[in-house]
Amino acid sequence: MTVLLVSVFGLAVNTTLVAYTATRLLDVRYTLWRLLIVSFVSLGIVQYGLVPVLFEPYGDSGPTPEQAPGAVALLALAFVSAPVVAMIALVVWEAVLPTGAVPPVRNWFKGLRARTRRTRRYLQILAIASRHGLFGLLRGRPFSQGPEQARELRLALDDAGVTFVKLGQILSTRRDLLPPAYIAELAKLQDQAAPIPGTTAAALVEAAVGAPVGEVFARFDPEPMAAASIAQVHSAVLHGGQAVVVKVRRPGAAQAVERDLDIIERLAHLLDRHTGWGRSMDVLGLAAGFATALREEVDFTVEARNLAQVAVAHDRRRSAVRVPRPYPDLSDDGVLVMERLSGVPLATAGPVLAGRDLEPGPLAAALLREMLDEVMIDGIFHADPHPGNLLLLDDDRLGLIDFGSVGRLDRELRASLQLILAAVDKQDGPALADAFIGVSTRPDELDQAAFERALGAFMARHLMAGTAPDLRMFTELFRIIAKYRIAIPPELAAVFRALATLEGCLTAIDPGFDLVGQARRAGEEYAEQHLRPAAVKDLIAEEAADLLPVLRKLPRRLDRLAAAAEAGRLTANFRLFSRAEDRRAITGWLHQTLLTVLAAATGVMSAMLIGIETGPALTEDIGLYQFIGLTLLLIASIMALRVLADIFTKRDRT
């Protein structure tokens, strides 16, 4: 019992010393369970390893009275080294398994059921990938150019469910990332599901509106018009006679999406760490953008807000393209009630166009102009204008639906986009390169001349007179931008993706549609609008309003400068490290350098002293110089450990 109490007391004392020295000397705070483990290990090493080795010369009988002072010094040195051994273990542990890499023990049991479901789903996804022969992609094998692997990828995404089907549909628009065979296969993915019962849908609607269905709607069709994996759509009529559609989210869809998004983000980190193609495709950014878009799509309040904003913008410029008006008082995050637009999807509108004697060219031009107006004038645009979201209405006008995903551009980005379009119109490679660099973070090692030549060659191939643009134009532009590491803002990237998606719809309406020519004419009109007297007047008024506060303060500042110059007190201050972050970084580097030099010098001194065999004797086996050398070696070890602790624990901050 006494031995146990002594051991516990020794462990407590050692843990306290380790905690104090690690905090003060290493400038690091560790968790209690980690301190306990390294304290226990260090005590065991000292008690059962170091002490027996040091006392082996004394034999079984122990030190004589004459040897007692030296033995006591050795014993003290051995047990003082216990915290040092523990700190060495802490630094090694931090290098192998950094703090925070493993969740705290108290969190292991929280959400155990959710973690179990996630693990089961994760294993299910991996099993699907293995069944379709896609495990090689996870191990770093590049994409095969043949159609077999593309087909297996489509089937695997289809088997994995709603979230992965949505991911495949997004990837089918990224011609800058995937080979053509994959684009063609992923475009076949269909988001369909068995409908939920009408009584369930009606109950969800009643919970959203806070009243029975019969009190809100004169008619509510329990049979859905269409059913997908996230939501289904019912037709209804309000008591005022307005025809509406009711979009109802499937029960459990939001939870399933969140669970799968967590898996997709984990897979993205895995692919980014272990595969070259994952890093080149920026799978982390792709997963983050997809997660944001899908979360917005699941939350119907986002779509209602988007519809209201787009409707206001359309009314302001008197657009001929219609968008449905939402009914916010009848909607929530799981139910959306909006105006019903009567028409047919453009994807199947070919016979209707022929039957109404409508020319496809003007219709395609109106659709392109609407998208450009949304981008250049409104600053809010439909981010997914595929044929299923475009309608030919009964009055021969166009309609846009499904605003779950929209893009937004502020005034500065719209001006930058105008510079890009102007450079394209002039086929000016250097101006186009400057416009792209102006909206991005310039890479440190950008070969601007090569970038300008690549853009010039791109425009010569795809934008010369008589050249019909196609999907390869957008694909090549994306590849050039990615090759030179130009980080285009996500908002502008969304514009290019939307135009690439729209291009397929325009050519489906009119195979001979001149996209470049129409875009140039629209760009010329935007430039003329900015040069009109009213537009110039508004611009001058806006700039004057911005400059007015500065102009008011300018006379007083000039007067103070003149007075200071006249009195000989005019000075200029220049601070090399004006930001606190820079000063802290430089100070940290100096501290690490100084500690490294001191540790090295102390270590050399300790080695020299340990090697001296003459001088005063502390014991029969250890001289005074050797004891001082061992002490200096202990100090050198502590300083070296401090440097290593800084490197391992603060590398993220650096």
Side-chain angles (χ1 to χ4, degrees):
M1 186 66 179
T2 304
V3 175
L4 178 61
L5 290 176
V6 171
S7 300
V8 172
F9 177 75
L11 180 62
V13 171
N14 191 59
T15 303
T16 304
L17 288 174
V18 170
Y20 179 78
T21 53
T23 303
R24 299 294 297 174
L25 299 179
L26 300 182
D27 191 26
V28 177
R29 294 183 180 274
Y30 293 102
T31 56
L32 178 60
W33 67 273
R34 186 176 289 207
L35 291 172
L36 286 172
I37 291 176
V38 297
S39 297
F40 183 79
V41 172
S42 64
L43 273 180
I45 292 174
V46 170
Q47 186 172 352
Y48 299 105
L50 184 59
V51 171
V53 170
L54 292 176
F55 279 77
E56 184 178 0
Y58 298 115
D60 296 335
S61 59
T64 63
E66 293 79 8
Q67 297 172 328
V72 171
L74 287 176
L75 187 62
L77 182 62
F79 280 96
V80 167
S81 65
V84 178
V85 174
M87 285 190 288
I88 294 174
L90 283 174
V91 172
V92 173
W93 195 339
E94 187 69 33
V96 177
L97 193 64
T99 302
V102 177
V105 177
R106 62 178 179 273
N107 293 340
W108 290 356
F109 301 101
K110 291 182 179 180
L112 184 59
R113 182 180 302 176
R115 192 176 295 109
T116 302
R117 286 198 297 266
R118 184 181 65 198
T119 302
R120 189 185 306 119
R121 176 63 171 161
Y122 196 84
L123 294 175
Q124 182 184 5
I125 298 301
L126 293 179
I128 292 173
S130 177
R131 187 167 64 248
H132 289 279
L134 302 177
F135 235 62
L137 293 177
L138 300 180
R139 293 198 300 266
R141 187 184 303 165
F143 280 93
S144 168
Q145 298 295 322
E148 294 81 9
Q149 191 177 73
R151 178 176 176 276
E152 292 300 327
L153 178 61
R154 173 179 64 83
L155 294 175
L157 293 175
D158 204 12
D159 291 346
V162 48
T163 309
F164 291 87
V165 169
K166 292 285 186 182
L167 177 62
Q169 291 173 337
I170 293 293
L171 290 175
S172 70
T173 66
R174 297 300 304 268
R175 297 169 179 86
D176 55 316
L177 299 179
L178 295 178
Y182 289 81
I183 298 298
E185 279 293 335
L186 295 180
K188 301 176 184 178
L189 286 170
Q190 299 293 325
D191 184 15
Q192 297 176 345
I196 60 175
T199 54
T200 303
L204 294 172
V205 173
E206 290 177 350
V209 302
V213 170
E215 293 183 9
V216 180
F217 303 102
R219 182 180 62 82
F220 179 84
D221 189 354
E223 293 297 324
M225 302 167 56
S229 50
I230 289 180
Q232 61 187 42
V233 179
H234 296 259
S235 64
V237 178
L238 298 176
H239 284 292
Q242 300 92 340
V244 296
V245 294
V246 183
K247 192 174 180 180
V248 182
R249 189 176 65 202
R250 301 176 71 90
Q255 293 79 3
V257 165
E258 281 297 328
R259 181 194 62 202
D260 284 353
L261 286 178
D262 178 64
I263 292 174
I264 287 174
E265 289 170 350
R266 289 170 182 270
L267 286 174
H269 281 89
L270 178 70
L271 295 174
D272 183 74
R273 282 197 306 269
H274 300 294
T275 66
W277 65 264
R279 287 186 293 273
S280 65
M281 287 176 56
D282 186 23
V283 291
L284 289 178
L286 185 65
F290 171 69
T292 300
L294 193 55
R295 288 189 178 103
E296 290 184 352
E297 186 175 344
V298 171
D299 186 357
F300 292 167
T301 59
V302 174
E303 183 173 354
R305 183 175 68 247
N306 294 340
L307 283 171
Q309 293 172 346
V310 172
V312 170
H314 279 216
D315 292 340
R316 186 166 55 241
R317 59 180 170 82
R318 297 181 176 87
S319 172
V321 176
R322 292 193 59 192
V323 297
R325 264 54 175 179
Y327 292 82
D329 54 331
L330 301 179
S331 307
D332 65 1
D333 63 337
V335 173
L336 176 60
V337 180
M338 54 186 164
E339 177 187 10
R340 180 176 182 180
L341 301 182
S342 181
V344 295
L346 274 181
T348 58
V352 178
L353 289 174
R356 298 182 188 177
D357 293 330
L358 294 175
E359 291 293 333
L363 189 66
L367 180 57
L368 175 63
R369 184 57 186 265
E370 171 62 25
M371 174 60 67
L372 294 176
D373 284 347
E374 288 184 358
V375 171
M376 302 300 299
I377 299 176
D378 301 341
I380 179 172
F381 60 94
H382 200 302
D384 188 23
H386 64 76
N389 289 336
L390 302 169
L391 299 178
L392 177 63
L393 303 181
D394 294 341
D395 58 0
D396 296 341
R397 291 197 294 172
L398 292 172
L400 285 173
I401 60 173
D402 194 1
F403 280 83
S405 178
V406 300
R408 289 181 171 83
L409 296 178
D410 57 25
R411 186 171 65 178
E412 182 178 353
L413 283 177
R414 293 202 297 273
S416 300
L417 184 59
Q418 201 159 26
L419 292 176
I420 293 173
L421 294 178
V424 169
D425 182 52
K426 299 174 184 176
Q427 296 194 19
D428 188 343
L432 183 58
D434 290 339
F436 276 128
I437 294 171
V439 297
S440 66
T441 302
R442 182 187 180 93
D444 294 333
E445 299 179 356
L446 173 66
D447 186 348
Q448 184 155 350
F451 183 44
E452 293 172 358
R453 288 195 299 270
L455 290 176
F458 160 77
M459 289 187 287
R461 278 193 297 272
H462 296 284
L463 301 177
M464 295 292 289
T467 303
D470 54 15
L471 295 179
R472 290 176 296 177
M473 178 181 73
F474 294 99
T475 302
E476 185 173 348
L477 178 60
F478 280 128
R479 293 196 184 280
I480 292 173
I481 292 172
K483 176 182 177 181
Y484 290 94
R485 302 183 183 278
I486 303 298
I488 297 297
E491 297 85 355
L492 281 184
V495 173
F496 294 127
R497 285 197 298 270
L499 291 176
T501 304
L502 184 68
E503 190 271 343
C505 186
L506 295 174
T507 53
I509 298 173
D510 182 9
F513 184 71
D514 184 7
L515 174 63
V516 175
Q518 291 290 339
R520 281 178 172 168
R521 280 191 285 273
E524 292 172 357
E525 292 182 15
Y526 292 137
E528 291 175 0
Q529 290 175 4
H530 282 284
L531 294 177
R532 290 175 182 172
V536 174
K537 179 182 176 181
D538 293 340
L539 180 61
I540 293 174
E542 291 177 1
E543 295 296 334
D546 293 338
L547 288 174
L548 188 59
V550 178
L551 294 175
R552 285 177 176 172
K553 298 176 183 178
L554 188 60
R556 291 194 298 272
R557 292 180 175 176
L558 290 175
D559 183 62
R560 286 198 297 268
L561 286 173
E566 183 180 2
R569 293 182 287 103
L570 184 61
T571 59
N573 294 325
F574 177 74
R575 298 182 64 182
L576 184 59
F577 301 109
S578 59
R579 296 197 312 164
E581 298 85 7
D582 296 337
R583 293 195 296 273
R584 282 196 295 268
I586 295 298
T587 302
W589 295 341
L590 289 175
H591 285 174
Q592 286 190 3
T593 303
L594 180 60
L595 278 175
T596 303
V597 172
L598 288 176
T602 307
V604 172
M605 291 171 58
S606 68
M608 294 173 63
L609 289 172
I610 291 173
I612 297 177
E613 298 181 356
T614 61
L618 189 63
T619 67
E620 293 181 357
D621 300 315
I622 297 179
L624 177 62
Y625 294 148
Q626 292 173 330
F627 181 79
I628 296 174
L630 291 173
T631 305
L632 289 177
L633 181 61
L634 185 65
I635 296 172
S637 300
I638 292 174
M639 289 190 290
L641 289 173
R642 170 64 181 267
V643 174
L644 292 175
D646 281 343
I647 293 173
F648 291 132
T649 60
K650 299 178 182 178
R651 52 193 165 189
D652 291 338
R653 216 178 305 168
T654 304

